[in-house]
Amino acid sequence: MVGKIHSFETFGTVDGPGIRFVIFMQGCCLKCKYCHNRDTWSVHSGKMITVEELVKEIIKYKSYMDSSGGGVTVSGGEPLLQTDFICELFKELKKHNIHTAIDTAGSIPVSYEIKELLKYTDLVLLDIKHIDNEKCINLTSAPNKNTLEFAQYLSNLNVPVWIRQVLIPGYTDDKFDLKRLKDFIDSLKNVEKIELLPYHDLGKFKWAEFQDEYALEGVKSPTQAEIEAAKAILGIDL
Ligand code: SF4
């Protein structure tokens, strides 16, 4: 089985527990205004790789994963665009007793293939772009319906989930929206952690490489006070 990846990182520490081998899949179906992986969007570029090649690479780092409680995270782009490939990869990783995680926006309807993949997935990092549908469309070009339904599906299955949201001043920091997000998260029974990711523009230069206008020009990263206020609403320890 062959998949298309953008790149991989061998010692990731921010996409799931422990030290992780993080695979960035090529191709995305959203157009988030703050995207710092603009170069993962196109399904026509990237590098073809087989499950066997990837597993051979991953195994080299197994001792680091084992000693840190880590594993493998498949990110993107949108990994659920290549569900069959990731399913085959995770099946192989499970033979080696390696923890598996998917970092996704969940913006694709739950399909038979996604249900299969979840059988081999230990953790889902679910990025809820915006709890308000209109604001979600403005921020990402897509509604949040599929994401919220995916969250509910994972809750029904009791798949462990970490909910993530990027905190962008003027876009995702409205107190009423954060309270709605918290209420939605509280309605789920499988959420192990909530992560608030402060917005930054470190990936802005990639937009220039594609001759794309960066829509969040001039938007600053949230201040410490703004981060703490949002965390308090979401019930995240300061
Ligand atoms: S889902 Fe991720 S990769 Fe896709 S546009 Fe949004 S931030 Fe970028």
Side-chain angles (χ1 to χ4, degrees):
M1 172 85 57
V2 178
K4 201 182 255 189
I5 67 168
H6 172 274
S7 57
F8 55 74
E9 182 185 351
T10 51
F11 285 93
T13 55
V14 295
D15 293 310
I19 295 172
R20 307 192 73 82
F21 190 104
V22 183
I23 304 155
F24 298 93
M25 304 301 294
Q26 185 69 35
C28 191
C29 44
L30 297 185
K31 292 182 169 56
C32 301
K33 286 181 174 170
Y34 58 84
C35 182
H36 58 270
N37 291 330
R38 172 64 184 83
D39 46 346
T40 65
W41 286 11
S42 172
V43 293
H44 302 297
S45 53
K47 178 185 171 222
M48 305 298 280
I49 193 165
T50 66
V51 167
E52 294 71 29
E53 287 168 333
L54 208 39
V55 171
K56 203 171 153 194
E57 193 63 34
I58 290 166
I59 292 300
K60 294 179 192 169
Y61 303 92
K62 188 169 185 309
S63 61
Y64 298 101
M65 297 174 202
D66 289 348
S67 60
S68 66
V72 170
T73 297
V74 182
S75 183
E78 174 47 71
L80 296 184
L81 290 177
Q82 300 187 66
T83 310
D84 287 345
F85 175 77
I86 300 168
C87 191
E88 286 307 308
L89 173 66
F90 280 10
K91 275 184 196 172
E92 288 303 311
L93 295 179
K94 284 289 130 204
K95 290 179 190 168
H96 297 277
N97 205 23
I98 292 176
H99 182 272
T100 56
I102 309 170
D103 174 19
T104 176
S107 49
I108 295 168
V110 179
S111 61
Y112 169 79
E113 289 77 15
I114 290 177
K115 290 177 185 175
E116 271 302 295
L117 171 61
L118 291 173
K119 291 179 185 170
Y120 307 94
T121 303
D122 296 312
L123 175 68
V124 176
L125 310 176
L126 182 61
D127 191 358
I128 297 182
K129 303 291 181 182
H130 212 301
I131 195 67
D132 181 272
N133 191 48
E134 292 304 317
K135 292 178 184 175
C136 188
I137 293 170
N138 175 51
L139 188 62
T140 71
S141 81
N144 63 11
K145 177 174 175 287
N146 288 337
T147 305
L148 302 186
E149 286 180 0
F150 188 48
Q152 192 59 60
Y153 182 77
L154 294 171
S155 176
N156 295 344
L157 276 189
N158 218 13
V159 175
V161 163
W162 292 8
I163 298 287
R164 313 176 109 182
Q165 186 166 96
V166 179
L167 184 68
I168 314 166
Y171 286 82
T172 61
D173 63 344
D174 181 274
K175 290 181 175 50
F176 178 69
D177 290 331
L178 288 168
K179 179 73 174 61
R180 273 177 72 193
L181 176 63
K182 173 70 167 133
D183 288 345
F184 177 72
I185 293 170
D186 285 347
S187 75
L188 307 172
K189 61 182 186 208
N190 56 337
V191 177
E192 292 186 344
K193 193 173 181 180
I194 307 172
E195 291 188 319
L196 193 65
L197 313 175
Y199 163 75
H200 61 74
D201 66 1
L202 298 177
K204 191 170 93 172
F205 72 96
K206 297 180 185 174
W207 289 67
E209 287 172 3
F210 287 87
Q211 278 98 44
D212 267 356
E213 193 181 330
Y214 189 67
L216 298 192
E217 190 65 62
V219 175
K220 298 219 165 15
S221 297
T223 63
Q224 194 55 35
E226 288 167 337
I227 294 170
E228 287 176 11
K231 280 187 170 179
I233 296 170
L234 293 175
I236 302 172
D237 290 341
L238 299 176

